[in-house]
Amino acid sequence: MEVRDLHPWPSTRAEAEAIQDRLRPLLDLHSPGPERPRTVAGLDVSYAGGSEGTGTRLAAAVVVLDAATLRTVEESVAVGTAAFPYVPGLFAFRELPTLVEALRDLRTVPDLLVCDGFGVAHPRRFGLACHLGVLTGLPTIGVGKTAFVGAYAAPGARRGDAGPLTDGDEVVGRVLRTQDGVKPVFVSVGHRASLDAACRTVLELAPDHRLPETTRRADRLSRDALRG
């Protein structure tokens, strides 16, 4: 699939922040996106050892699922090294070069990308899901395991219970309970998707576990690649 070359990979914090500032106006945060995507791709990255050092070996995986059956349609994995220092708010730059390589090897163009991370629920309103959405032009959402920014009240204990994730006066995402009595996940829009549709899709992708199957399978594939 096509991934656009919109910028060189940065080497400094100032360069990375300038790229985020330049790409942020390209976000489409008003389109409703796919209400019922047919194919959904999960993206995840695993590290060999800690994830802090530049040059750390990593594997980026993309797993495309049939959204109705959760059957795996296609897989792609690339092994590389962390391309940028660990800087809060700029973590995407560590993973993007290898993720882009894995995406470009896909034959299937999915209807939706589900990132293990954040979209606009980010201090600069430009998390990994936003960046990948702009580079690919595809509808993209982020599903985080913990909150990066914002405040929230714990949602109810039942599957499907949810509440807003707010940063100041702005709603930047939703705290969503995917299974009864388990910790919630943090859903945010990246590009060309609505928060309502994103949460509905995440629930459909998580019939049995806390995390959506897209994330679970991409995580497994990336870990297997590092072991291999």
Side-chain angles (χ1 to χ4, degrees):
M1 62 171 280
E2 181 182 359
V3 183
R4 295 180 290 178
D5 287 315
L6 296 182
H7 59 80
W9 300 118
S11 57
T12 67
R13 178 171 189 155
E15 290 172 353
E17 290 180 348
I19 289 169
Q20 290 180 331
D21 291 341
R22 181 162 58 85
L23 297 186
R24 193 183 304 108
L26 302 180
L27 288 176
D28 181 352
L29 301 177
H30 303 288
S31 296
E35 290 294 319
R36 290 282 186 253
R38 295 167 298 173
T39 53
V40 182
L43 298 88
D44 199 11
V45 174
S46 293
Y47 290 82
S51 62
E52 288 78 16
T54 302
T56 300
R57 186 167 175 262
L58 56 81
V62 184
V63 178
V64 182
L65 303 185
D66 181 296
T69 65
L70 300 185
R71 176 181 61 87
T72 299
V73 175
E74 188 180 355
E75 297 178 341
S76 176
V77 63
V79 177
T81 57
F84 194 79
Y86 178 83
V87 179
L90 301 176
F91 196 77
F93 290 101
R94 297 177 59 73
E95 305 182 345
L96 275 167
T98 312
L99 276 170
V100 166
E101 183 181 346
L103 283 166
R104 283 178 171 154
D105 283 342
L106 283 181
R107 298 182 303 276
T108 306
V109 179
D111 295 328
L112 178 70
L113 302 182
V114 179
C115 300
D116 177 32
F118 305 95
V120 296
H122 179 274
R124 299 176 61 79
R125 301 296 185 265
F126 201 79
L128 176 63
C130 298
H131 207 137
L132 281 168
V134 170
L135 293 183
T136 64
L138 296 176
T140 310
I141 65 173
V143 182
K145 301 179 185 72
T146 59
F148 184 25
V149 297
Y152 63 94
R158 301 299 299 274
R159 170 179 164 86
D161 288 342
L165 176 66
T166 60
D167 191 15
D169 296 330
E170 186 177 356
V171 175
V172 295
R174 192 169 296 166
V175 187
L176 176 66
R177 193 87 64 183
T178 54
Q179 300 294 327
D180 291 354
V182 304
K183 293 179 180 179
V185 297
F186 299 82
V187 182
S188 56
V189 169
H191 182 62
R192 294 182 55 206
S194 74
L195 192 53
D196 286 342
C199 290
R200 183 168 56 250
T201 298
V202 169
L203 284 174
E204 292 170 350
L205 293 171
D208 302 310
H209 300 279
R210 178 190 177 220
L211 296 178
E213 284 300 305
T214 39
T215 299
R216 285 167 44 80
R217 295 189 202 180
D219 173 74
R220 187 182 309 129
L221 180 60
S222 63
R223 291 177 187 276
D224 288 348
L226 284 180
R227 284 194 292 267

